[in-house]
Amino acid sequence: MKLFSWKKKPESQKTDMNINVFFKAFILDTLKELPAEKSSMMEEMNLDKVFSTDFGNWKKTIKKVLNLSNTIEIAIKDLWLRNSEIAKNDGTELNADQFADLFIENYYVENSKVDIWENESDLNNANKRITESTLAE
């Protein structure tokens, strides 16, 4: 998995409907940063009807609609932790909202590997970093 830079922004993917609003909510919820009122709004929407699914869970619906990997939540959390540390070391701050935008932009870049694990060791290291953080379940 590749870290991404928040200094250069790639072009974002255009979609028929703005699914990225839901993708961003998915990312923020994964980071425990989705405001309560937005979380309630997402739960109240009938995304199953909109996307012709039957999960009864907006995050599962978005995951299916976007064809997200089984380890997307690990990728989101790990990149958040690692990029936040890089920003801190650079004397800047990366907030969750900025990170979500950057994650989406980098996710859509051709040949993106933001949620691809080169080997089992990288995935294990990511899980370890998450377990040792405030993002642990």
Side-chain angles (χ1 to χ4, degrees), residues 2-25:
K2 176 180 166 258
L3 290 179
F4 50 81
S5 171
W6 55 91
K7 296 173 186 169
K8 179 182 172 193
K9 292 187 173 191
E11 288 186 38
S12 63
Q13 176 78 12
K14 306 295 182 215
T15 57
D16 290 338
M17 69 180 295
N18 200 350
I19 191 75
N20 290 341
V21 170
F22 300 112
F23 194 9
K24 186 171 184 173

Side-chain angles (χ1 to χ4, degrees), residues 65-82:
V65 168
L66 290 175
N67 197 30
L68 299 175
S69 70
N70 290 334
T71 59
I72 190 72
E73 290 93 341
I74 297 168
I76 291 167
K77 290 176 182 181
D78 188 52
L79 283 168
W80 166 247
L81 293 170
R82 293 166 63 198

Side-chain angles (χ1 to χ4, degrees), residues 12-61:
S12 63
Q13 176 78 12
K14 306 295 182 215
T15 57
D16 290 338
M17 69 180 295
N18 200 350
I19 191 75
N20 290 341
V21 170
F22 300 112
F23 194 9
K24 186 171 184 173
F26 180 95
I27 293 166
L28 292 173
D29 190 70
T30 299
L31 297 175
K32 302 176 185 176
E33 295 286 338
L34 187 64
E37 65 275 0
K38 286 188 179 180
S39 180
S40 294
M41 184 177 74
M42 293 300 295
E43 289 179 23
E44 290 171 9
M45 290 179 155
N46 190 352
L47 293 182
D48 281 332
K49 184 175 181 180
V50 172
F51 295 113
S52 300
T53 58
D54 61 354
F55 294 108
N57 177 294
W58 72 268
K59 283 188 75 175
K60 288 180 181 179
T61 300

Side-chain angles (χ1 to χ4, degrees), residues 92-111:
T92 61
E93 185 178 328
L94 179 64
N95 68 45
D97 197 59
Q98 292 169 317
F99 171 81
D101 291 336
L102 290 166
F103 189 94
I104 292 167
E105 290 169 2
N106 282 272
Y107 181 82
Y108 289 123
V109 170
E110 189 174 340
N111 299 317

